[in-house]
């Protein structure tokens, strides 16, 4: 949980890569072991993670279904026009697991890392690309501003909607063109207000001596602790192992 | 004593649609001493806000000069020093908070100044304590009340260790409770030695000032202690401004031929004056 | 009778960990043509209450009758409610969206399905009522107006729907004294001339004291006090307990009484205070 | 007045937030499919057509992927970043943001190509994520509706916004 966000982002990336490298279902034991370890370390309750799978359950089911019926190979049984093959069963389980692992892995990142840590991590990770013209600081700053204003704009959306409803606006019926028109009284004020906010915020930022990323320090320094080092070594081993499995088997 | 803020024949013009020049600040000279608590009043469009922005070098003069602690706002090298010395708090509490938590936002200013992380931590903690927001330092700003948000903004300025803070109608969008929170904070900071320039529409906020400046059409039309200013009821009314209710009462009693002084500002003063009469 | 609210309760997010009781068993009646001041803290339930009166929120339980129409019943059309009750939100100028002032004000009347002629009349009337010059302003973009003008255009947008009840949520917030004064004057005029029931939400005790026939004080989702200004401001201690102020004049009168001066305890305007004080002073001279 | 760079930053920040909010919170049910289309894509089109490819790319990519993360589709965040980012970029490049009238050939073409690219992008994204070229076929119809619905919704809103005329001072490339 307390690992360096940079590490967490990189780890998630390497995890995803490993996931796609591995093409043997037996090697998934490795993934399971890795996930189990991370979940244990992160102290996120398992229930919480599994709940994240709920909305995607149908998609997993469809993936499973299509794979099981559409893969050619040794026929196991026939259901009308459809046939289930040995390879199909294998593929279906394999793909469904891959998807589940993918979702668990990525949600682990967002569950254990605050948005600020994420943006900070992204900024630092992008820093080396600065010389290729990637504006690392600016991108991170924009994300911070976006995250700061998303709740504000959500509230405002609700407020404007209600205000226009009080003037008889109808957001709830009609065909698509009527709907599109009904959104004008909502979106135009929302857009305008966003720009007004941007203007005022820019002024407030400059009044507080903002002048871009140069010479800027951060209150919370990201420090690479010993635990980050250990975790990194484990990570490298893990990726190495998955590549090894891929080549060897 | 030296001047914290000084303007000399300050002019600010801007071009409103199609070359129509508008003069927002017109030949204005003021001196504000270190440690002073100055309130600027005037109706909308009188040039108050423009003046505030000129003092923070957000706007630059079209003519004349603005000096902050003897630094010329036209001197580009001094820009960051000026903004650090004279911090600014704006009207809308929402649109001046940058970061996603209170403490990160308070740290924004010092981070821009390139201060050491440990020192920033110290400053942020002190600033939050000073305005009384440390109990929700990890909260996201959208969960705070208007008064709390404004205090976060004040803490953000304080963390830059300013000598002067310019408040541009910080209470206009707040409820009475929020206004009180902010006004108490402002008074406290002034007692601690920070020069305060406070722009407001609420006359009761001007009662405790060292000096009140009344603006109209980009110029100073009245200037003096709250007592001197508010006794000129007729003139203020003509300018579209309020006076405290008790002052108004004293004024109308006087008109009825009652012998009562017109420079009453507070309820207590009124009570003691009436006691003498009754 | 104009507005009857019976046992109104509203619970946000019922049966969840975020359950909050915003309104609890609220009862009151407002007569036709009354000018009502609604005061209370942020979070006291004021906004929830006024949104119910406009049908934007449905009560968890309870009933609201507006001029005989039960707006909480299922088969009532929202348009019917909106013809009866107009609601002006806080900072209404941020809802403007049209290309011209005319079109923006016409938005409400168009939604009511009125004839073009009627719409034209109403827009003209509404613009004049809020103190703007129709010919001069109708074709201008609302975005190039001053803040105070924009506010008035937004209020005109609701007035043009000709509601029998007009609710305004802090219509003077953020304006300068002159702007505040003008808006309040126009609301008062509207009330007096057209016999509209007005509910004014405000933080300014002075404004409420001056304008309202009846005051409703809300606290923690309940009605704390209800009555005429005279009755309400007499209970200064009660108001202060809730954390609301009283008009400065009332405060003055209280202080005078505390030190033994015999002055009426239900004074809340400058005019009245002047009259009473003069009476006292003259009385003393004659004695 | 604030530095152009700072304002550019805050405007982009707010546009990202707008894209995320309109993806998550402003939706229109489509009776034909019993699904919803959200307004996120319309917002990306607005950013791209009004302000050009850079704005379209950043607001579209980052805004949409933040929306993915906040609604629990974290595993889609990176594909979305690329797909929507490129969509905004393509639309911004093709569209003509100098002209006053919004409905012109270049703008329409840009919307069509943008929407098509999104459908294709999500198809391949799905193929990679789900390890099959068949499974993501199922998502094509709903993505088509989303993409073109977003474009259709964009037009009246865009026209209304142009009329308000307030973007004169912002609309620069």
């Amino acid at each position: 949980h307390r690992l360096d966000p940079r590490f967490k982002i990189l780890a998630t990336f390497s995890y995803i890569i490993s996931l796609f490298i591995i093409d043997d279902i037996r090697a998934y034991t490795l993934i399971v072991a890795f996930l189990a370890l991370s979940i244990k370390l992160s102290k996120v309750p398992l229930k919480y993670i599994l709940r994240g799978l709920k909305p995607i359950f149908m998609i997993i089911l469809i993936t499973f279904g299509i794979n099981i019926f559409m893969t050619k190979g040794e026929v196991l049984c026939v259901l009308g026009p459809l046939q289930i093959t040995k390879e199909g069963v294998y593929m279906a389980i394999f793909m469904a697991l891959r998807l589940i692992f993918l979702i668990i892995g990525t949600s682990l990142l967002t569950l254990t890392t605050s948005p600020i840590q994420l943006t900070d991590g992204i900024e630092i990770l992008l820093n080396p690309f600065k010389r290729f013209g990637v504006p690392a600081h600016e991108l991170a700053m924009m994300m911070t501003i976006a995250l700061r204003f998303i709740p504000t704009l959500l509230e405002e959306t609700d407020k404007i909607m209600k205000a226009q409803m009080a003037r008889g606006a109808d957001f709830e019926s009609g065909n698509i063109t009527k709907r599109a028109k009904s959104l004008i009284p909502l979106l135009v004020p929302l857009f305008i207000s966003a720009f007004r906010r941007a203007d005022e915020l820019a002024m407030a930022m400059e009044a507080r001596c903002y002048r871009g990323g140069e010479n800027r320090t951060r209150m919370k320094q990201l420090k690479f602790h010993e635990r980050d080092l250990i975790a990194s070594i484990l990570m490298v081993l893990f990726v190495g192992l998955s590549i090894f499995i891929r080549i060897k088997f | 004593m030296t001047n914290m803020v000084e303007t000399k024949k300050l002019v600010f013009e801007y071009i409103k649609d199609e070359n129509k020049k508008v003069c927002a600040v017109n030949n204005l000279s003021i001196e504000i001493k270190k440690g002073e608590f100055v309130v600027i009043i005037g109706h909308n469009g009188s040039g108050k806000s423009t003046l505030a922005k000129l003092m923070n070098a957000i706007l630059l003069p079209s003519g004349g000069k603005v000096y902050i602690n003897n630094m010329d706002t036209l001197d580009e090298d001094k820009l960051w020093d000026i903004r650090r010395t004279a911090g600014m708090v704006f009207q809308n509490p929402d649109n001046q908070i940058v970061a996603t938590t209170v403490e990160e936002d308070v740290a924004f200013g010092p981070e821009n100044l390139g201060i050491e992380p440990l020192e920033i931590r110290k400053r942020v903690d002190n600033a939050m304590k000073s305005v009384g927001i440390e109990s929700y330092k990890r909260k996201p700003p959208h969960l705070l009340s208007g008064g709390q948000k404004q205090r976060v903004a004040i803490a953000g300025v304080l963390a830059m260790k300013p000598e002067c803070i310019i408040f541009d109608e910080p209470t206009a969008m707040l409820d009475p409770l929020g206004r009180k929170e902010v006004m108490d904070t402002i008074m406290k900071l002034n007692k601690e030695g920070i020069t305060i320039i406070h722009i407001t529409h609420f006359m009761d906020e001007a009662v405790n000032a060292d000096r009140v400046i009344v603006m109209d059409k980009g110029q100073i039309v009245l200037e003096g202690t709250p007592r001197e200013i508010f006794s000129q009821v007729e003139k203020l009314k003509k300018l579209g401004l309020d006076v405290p209710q008790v002052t108004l009462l004293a004024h109308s009693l006087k008109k009825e031929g009652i012998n009562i002084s017109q420079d009453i500002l507070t309820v207590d003063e009124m009570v003691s004056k009436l006691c003498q009469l009754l | 009778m104009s507005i009857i609210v019976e046992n109104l309760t509203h619970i946000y997010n019922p049966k969840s960990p975020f359950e909050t009781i915003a309104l609890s068993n609220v009862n009151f009646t407002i007569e036709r043509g009354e000018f009502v001041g609604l005061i209370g803290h942020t979070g006291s339930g004021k906004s929830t209450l006024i949104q119910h009166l406009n049908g934007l929120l449905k009560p968890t339980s309870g009933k609201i009758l507006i001029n005989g129409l039960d707006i909480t019943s299922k088969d009532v059309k929202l348009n019917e409610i909106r013809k009866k009750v107009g609601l002006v939100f806080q900072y209404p100028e941020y809802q403007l969206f049209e290309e011209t002032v005319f079109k923006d004000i016409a938005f409400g009347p168009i939604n009511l399905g009125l004839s073009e002629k009627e719409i034209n009349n109403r827009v003209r009337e509404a613009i004049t009522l809020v103190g703007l010059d129709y010919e001069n302003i109708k074709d201008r973009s609302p975005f190039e107006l001053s803040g105070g003008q924009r506010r008035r255009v937004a209020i005109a947008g609701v007035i043009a729907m000709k509601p029998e009840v007009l609710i305004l949520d802090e219509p003077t917030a953020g304006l300068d004294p002159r702007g505040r004064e003008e808006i309040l004057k126009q609301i008062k005029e509207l009330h007096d001339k057209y016999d509209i029931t007005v509910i004014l939400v405000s933080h300014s005790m002075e404004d409420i004291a001056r304008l309202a026939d009846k005051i409703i004080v809300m606290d923690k989702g309940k009605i704390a006090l209800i009555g005429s200004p005279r009755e309400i401001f007499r209970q200064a201690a009660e108001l202060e307990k809730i954390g609301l102020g009283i008009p400065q004049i009332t405060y003055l009168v209280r202080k005078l009484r505390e030190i033994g001066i015999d002055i009426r305890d239900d004074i809340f305007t400058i005019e009245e205070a002047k009259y009473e004080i003069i009476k006292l002073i003259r009385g003393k001279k004659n004695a | 007045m604030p530095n152009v760079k700072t304002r550019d930053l805050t405007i982009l920040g707010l546009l990202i937030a707008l894209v995320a909010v309109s993806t998550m919170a402003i939706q229109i049910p489509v009776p034909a499919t019993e699904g919803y289309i959200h307004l996120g894509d319309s917002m990306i089109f607005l950013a791209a057509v009004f302000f050009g490819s850079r704005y379209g790319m950043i607001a579209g990519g980052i805004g949409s992927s933040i929306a993915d993360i906040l609604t629990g589709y974290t595993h889609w965040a990176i594909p979305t970043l690329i797909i929507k980012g490129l969509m905004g970029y393509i639309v911004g490049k093709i569209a003509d943001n100098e002209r006053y009238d919004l409905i012109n050939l270049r703008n329409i073409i840009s919307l069509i190509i943008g929407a098509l690219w999104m459908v294709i992008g999500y198809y391949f994204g799905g193929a990679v994520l789900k390890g099959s070229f068949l499974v993501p076929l199922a998502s094509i119809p709903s993505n088509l509706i989303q993409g073109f619905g977003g474009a259709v919704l964009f037009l009246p809103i865009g026209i209304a916004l142009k009329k308000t005329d307030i973007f004169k001072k912002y609309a620069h490339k």
Side-chain angles (χ1 to χ4, degrees):
Chain A
H1 208 177
R2 280 172 305 149
L3 288 174
D4 190 303
R6 282 171 292 183
F7 167 74
K8 282 199 266 192
I9 295 169
L10 282 182
T12 311
F13 261 113
S14 10
Y15 169 76
I16 294 171
I17 293 166
S18 306
L19 210 50
F20 284 97
I21 289 176
I22 293 173
D23 57 354
D24 188 321
I25 201 160
R26 281 163 295 173
Y28 273 173
T29 41
L30 190 71
I31 298 270
V32 173
F34 176 77
L35 268 183
L37 185 72
S38 327
I39 292 172
K40 186 130 181 47
L41 286 175
S42 70
K43 293 188 189 113
V44 176
L46 195 64
K47 209 172 66 188
Y48 216 78
I49 296 171
L50 293 181
R51 203 186 303 157
L53 284 174
K54 233 197 212 156
I56 339 222
F57 185 68
M58 270 314 285
I59 298 170
I60 297 172
L61 215 64
I62 293 171
T63 314
F64 187 82
I66 292 185
N67 273 311
I68 205 168
F69 292 119
M70 296 301 192
T71 317
K72 290 194 173 66
E74 190 183 327
V75 181
L76 284 179
C77 73
V78 182
L79 294 169
L82 300 168
Q83 42 178 261
I84 297 175
T85 62
K86 196 178 160 195
E87 284 78 6
V89 173
Y90 178 81
M91 267 312 269
I93 295 172
F94 181 74
M95 283 302 162
L97 280 176
R98 188 204 260 182
L99 203 56
I100 291 169
F101 290 147
L102 182 67
I103 293 162
I104 294 178
T106 47
S107 56
L108 205 56
L109 174 71
T110 43
L111 283 173
T112 58
T113 322
S114 75
I116 312 166
Q117 287 175 316
L118 267 183
T119 41
D120 277 1
I122 291 170
E123 173 171 4
I124 296 166
L125 287 174
L126 284 176
N127 252 338
F129 299 101
K130 250 187 186 161
R131 76 183 84 163
F132 305 114
V134 178
H137 162 77
E138 282 78 6
L139 283 173
M141 198 73 223
M142 282 172 204
M143 284 170 67
T144 306
I145 293 170
L147 289 170
R148 150 78 184 83
F149 278 97
I150 284 172
T152 312
L153 291 184
L154 280 172
E155 258 168 53
E156 186 154 38
T157 306
D158 181 58
K159 227 164 67 188
I160 299 174
M161 225 162 171
K162 278 186 173 157
Q164 305 296 22
M165 275 160 74
R167 289 167 76 190
D170 178 7
F171 295 107
E172 271 145 22
S173 60
N175 56 23
I176 187 155
T177 35
K178 205 179 150 232
R179 293 282 181 115
K181 282 217 174 109
S182 79
L183 285 171
I184 293 174
L186 169 64
L187 285 173
V188 171
L190 193 62
F191 223 85
I192 291 170
S193 118
F195 274 77
R196 196 189 65 242
R197 288 179 192 280
D199 252 357
E200 288 184 26
L201 184 67
M203 192 143 56
M205 280 168 69
E206 297 229 325
R208 282 162 77 186
C209 296
Y210 178 75
R211 50 189 137 163
E214 260 157 69
N215 298 324
R216 203 164 182 272
T217 49
R218 301 304 312 266
M219 174 169 72
K220 290 181 180 155
Q221 293 295 82
L222 294 176
K223 277 200 207 101
F224 222 70
H225 292 285
E226 208 170 297
R227 55 169 181 266
D228 292 312
L229 190 68
I230 297 169
S232 308
I233 294 170
L234 279 175
M235 201 65 228
V236 172
L237 276 176
F238 170 69
V239 177
L241 208 58
S242 28
I243 296 171
F244 177 72
I245 291 171
R246 168 97 195 215
I247 297 167
K248 198 75 180 176
F249 298 96
Chain B
M1 261 220 251
T2 45
N3 287 332
M4 187 68 237
V5 179
E6 195 177 341
T7 72
K8 280 188 179 154
K9 296 191 173 152
L10 180 61
V11 177
F12 184 79
E13 289 171 323
Y14 63 97
I15 292 164
K16 210 178 155 186
D17 40 51
E18 282 122 52
N19 308 322
K20 231 170 71 191
K21 256 193 192 168
V22 181
C23 194
V25 172
N26 191 3
N27 203 21
L28 184 136
S29 301
I30 45 173
E31 288 177 23
I32 292 166
K33 290 186 194 69
K34 280 193 176 159
E36 226 185 335
F37 177 8
V38 176
V39 167
I40 303 179
I41 56 179
H43 61 81
N44 284 342
S46 61
K48 302 167 302 191
S49 260
T50 310
L51 178 63
K53 284 171 192 138
L54 284 160
M55 288 177 183
N56 195 259
I58 291 171
L59 297 175
L60 296 174
S62 331
K65 293 274 189 191
V66 180
Y67 296 98
I68 302 294
N69 211 3
N70 294 323
M71 293 178 282
D72 186 343
T73 59
L74 283 171
D75 183 352
E76 267 179 53
D77 297 336
K78 292 275 163 60
L79 184 62
W80 308 109
D81 270 336
I82 289 170
R83 288 186 181 162
R84 180 207 327 231
T85 311
M88 189 148 169
V89 174
F90 297 84
Q91 180 181 31
N92 191 325
D94 258 319
N95 299 347
Q96 52 187 321
I97 296 179
V98 191
T100 45
T101 64
V102 167
E103 62 174 1
E104 289 281 342
D105 189 72
V106 176
F108 181 75
E111 287 179 341
N112 290 332
L113 297 172
I115 290 163
E116 290 297 307
L118 282 176
E119 168 71 13
I120 300 182
R121 185 75 252 179
K122 242 191 276 166
R123 286 188 179 198
V124 168
D125 288 341
N126 285 338
M128 288 193 299
K129 205 180 282 169
S130 180
V131 301
I133 54 169
E134 69 272 54
S135 57
Y136 32 86
K137 60 181 179 181
R138 289 193 212 286
K139 270 203 181 181
H142 67 99
L143 296 180
L144 307 180
S145 74
Q148 289 170 334
K149 280 184 218 170
Q150 279 306 45
R151 284 188 288 151
V152 172
I154 296 173
V157 173
L158 277 182
M160 299 195 295
K161 296 206 167 165
E163 292 176 55
C164 167
I165 304 181
I166 302 152
F167 291 89
D168 188 2
E169 294 189 44
T171 54
M173 298 178 80
L174 306 181
D175 63 3
L177 225 61
R179 273 175 56 200
K180 191 171 175 315
E181 282 169 28
V182 170
M183 279 319 290
D184 288 350
T185 309
I186 292 178
M187 309 272 267
K188 174 174 178 273
L189 296 178
N190 183 244
K191 283 209 184 78
E192 286 164 9
I194 293 176
T195 311
I196 303 285
I197 298 166
H198 177 53
I199 296 174
T200 185
H201 287 315
F202 295 102
M203 302 307 146
D204 47 330
E205 291 173 6
V207 168
N208 292 311
D210 295 323
R211 183 153 53 120
V212 177
I213 292 172
V214 184
M215 282 187 69
D216 187 42
K217 294 184 187 124
Q219 283 171 319
I220 295 175
V221 284
L222 290 173
E223 192 177 354
T225 63
R227 225 170 275 285
E228 289 161 9
I229 298 297
F230 288 123
S231 58
Q232 308 183 48
V233 174
E234 304 291 336
K235 207 161 182 182
L236 288 175
K237 287 254 147 185
K238 211 180 275 167
L239 290 168
L241 298 170
D242 265 347
V243 285
Q245 282 209 309
V246 278
T247 317
L248 213 55
L249 179 61
H251 180 74
S252 50
L253 284 173
K254 179 99 183 174
K255 261 197 191 159
E256 294 289 329
I258 307 279
N259 181 24
I260 190 165
S261 60
Q262 288 206 30
D263 57 359
I264 288 169
L265 289 177
T266 65
V267 172
D268 289 328
E269 283 173 27
M270 189 72 175
V271 170
S272 68
K273 285 272 154 57
L274 283 175
C275 271
Q276 292 162 15
L277 288 169
L278 288 167
Chain C
M1 259 187 281
S2 163
I3 301 176
I4 304 173
V5 173
E6 275 174 11
N7 304 323
L8 182 66
T9 296
H10 190 88
I11 302 172
Y12 284 110
N13 308 311
K15 288 176 195 134
S16 82
F18 307 106
E19 183 176 292
T20 32
I21 301 172
L23 290 176
S24 128
N25 206 21
V26 169
N27 288 288
F28 62 86
T29 53
I30 293 172
E31 308 291 324
R32 187 187 282 263
E34 263 187 314
F35 198 121
V36 179
L38 180 59
I39 54 183
H41 280 303
T42 318
S44 61
K46 284 176 306 181
S47 321
T48 312
L49 175 64
I50 58 177
Q51 288 182 30
H52 275 94
L53 297 179
N54 187 256
L56 284 171
L57 288 174
K58 291 278 168 213
T60 310
S61 65
K63 231 183 186 182
I64 302 167
L65 291 168
I66 293 185
N67 291 346
L69 179 78
D70 179 2
I71 65 164
T72 51
S73 92
K74 283 216 166 66
D75 28 76
V76 70
K77 283 217 175 97
L78 286 176
N79 252 353
E80 286 302 308
I81 306 175
R82 261 128 230 181
K83 266 185 213 166
K84 288 196 180 294
V85 184
L87 174 54
V88 179
F89 275 82
Q90 232 179 58
Y91 299 101
E93 61 271 31
Y94 296 150
Q95 298 136 26
L96 301 175
F97 65 98
E98 274 286 10
E99 184 185 357
T100 67
V101 168
F102 183 94
K103 283 187 182 171
D104 211 289
I105 297 175
F107 179 69
I110 289 171
N111 286 328
L112 293 180
L114 301 171
S115 71
E116 200 172 319
K117 197 171 152 233
E118 177 66 14
I119 291 171
N120 282 335
N121 287 340
R122 285 190 177 197
V123 173
R124 180 188 290 268
E125 199 180 0
I127 291 181
T128 321
L129 270 172
V130 296
L132 295 170
D133 179 15
Y134 176 76
E135 289 304 326
N136 180 13
I137 210 162
K138 69 176 167 61
D139 293 325
R140 286 173 67 187
S141 160
F143 303 104
E144 59 179 49
L145 305 177
S146 77
Q149 286 174 321
R150 274 210 300 268
R151 171 87 45 103
R152 282 190 256 170
V153 169
I155 295 176
V158 175
I159 291 176
M161 296 172 79
K162 288 212 173 159
E164 295 161 29
V165 180
L166 182 64
I167 308 173
L168 302 111
D169 189 356
E170 285 191 66
T172 58
L175 297 179
D176 63 2
R178 185 179 280 164
R180 288 203 288 261
E181 205 43 57
E182 278 172 4
I183 295 241
L184 290 176
K185 204 181 88 202
Q186 277 143 13
I187 294 169
K188 178 94 180 127
E189 243 178 61
L190 201 66
H191 169 258
D192 296 348
K193 261 196 209 153
Y194 294 82
D195 199 29
I196 294 180
T197 311
V198 174
I199 301 177
L200 176 71
V201 179
S202 172
H203 286 307
S204 162
M205 296 297 151
E206 282 79 14
D207 292 345
I208 294 274
R210 204 154 41 103
L211 295 165
D213 308 318
K214 180 187 260 169
I215 296 177
I216 298 176
V217 183
M218 297 213 43
D219 186 38
K220 296 181 188 131
K222 293 188 176 131
I223 291 194
L225 298 168
I226 185 163
S228 69
R230 226 169 272 289
E231 287 159 5
I232 297 293
F233 291 123
R234 195 181 271 160
Q235 307 177 57
E238 214 34 56
L239 284 171
E240 279 178 338
K241 212 172 77 192
I242 302 171
L244 295 167
I246 47 173
Q248 214 181 15
I249 295 297
T250 314
Y251 191 51
L252 171 74
V253 170
R254 272 186 82 202
K255 285 231 161 167
L256 288 173
R257 284 175 65 87
E258 268 168 32
I259 56 166
I261 291 170
D262 184 26
I263 187 164
R264 270 169 48 204
D265 66 348
D266 57 355
I267 295 168
F268 51 84
T269 64
I270 294 174
E271 275 304 303
E272 253 183 322
K274 182 182 87 181
Y275 178 78
E276 286 295 320
I277 290 168
I278 290 173
K279 212 167 75 181
L280 280 174
I281 293 172
R282 301 246 158 92
K284 197 174 178 195
K285 270 181 195 156
N286 296 340
Chain D
M1 280 289 118
N3 196 313
V4 181
K5 261 185 148 172
T6 312
R7 200 158 79 170
D8 182 75
L9 197 80
T10 56
I11 288 176
L12 271 164
L14 263 306
L15 278 174
I16 294 170
L18 268 180
V19 169
V21 166
S22 22
T23 307
M24 295 187 293
I26 309 176
Q27 297 179 325
I28 293 186
V30 181
T33 59
E34 285 178 27
Y36 283 87
I37 56 176
H38 59 73
L39 274 183
D41 293 322
S42 317
M43 213 39 104
I44 300 173
F45 292 143
L46 279 173
V49 172
F50 277 62
F51 306 107
S53 53
R54 187 169 153 268
Y55 278 69
M57 180 170 74
I58 294 175
I62 302 180
S64 308
S65 77
I66 288 180
D68 273 352
I69 292 174
L70 293 179
T71 48
Y73 290 84
T74 317
H75 58 293
W76 270 106
I78 291 166
T80 294
L81 179 73
I82 299 164
I83 296 165
K84 292 284 171 86
L86 277 175
M87 177 173 101
Y89 182 80
I90 293 168
V91 173
K93 267 284 170 226
I94 302 172
D96 184 352
N97 49 21
E98 302 276 297
R99 296 257 299 258
Y100 184 77
D101 52 333
L102 195 70
I103 300 185
N104 59 56
L105 194 63
R106 266 176 66 183
N107 286 1
I108 302 295
I109 291 174
S110 79
L111 295 182
I112 293 172
I113 294 181
L116 282 177
W117 154 252
M118 186 190 82
V119 175
I120 296 166
Y122 273 108
Y123 172 73
F124 282 106
V128 173
L129 279 182
K130 289 160 192 163
S132 159
F133 283 97
L134 280 169
V135 181
L137 281 179
S139 70
I140 288 186
S142 66
N143 276 335
L144 272 173
I145 292 174
Q146 170 62 45
F148 285 96
V152 170
L153 288 173
F154 154 76
L155 288 170
I157 298 160
I159 292 167
L161 265 176
K162 276 242 154 159
K163 277 186 190 159
T164 63
D165 230 24
I166 55 155
F167 291 116
K168 254 194 221 150
K169 63 174 176 172
Y170 300 110
H172 52 77
K173 274 194 183 172

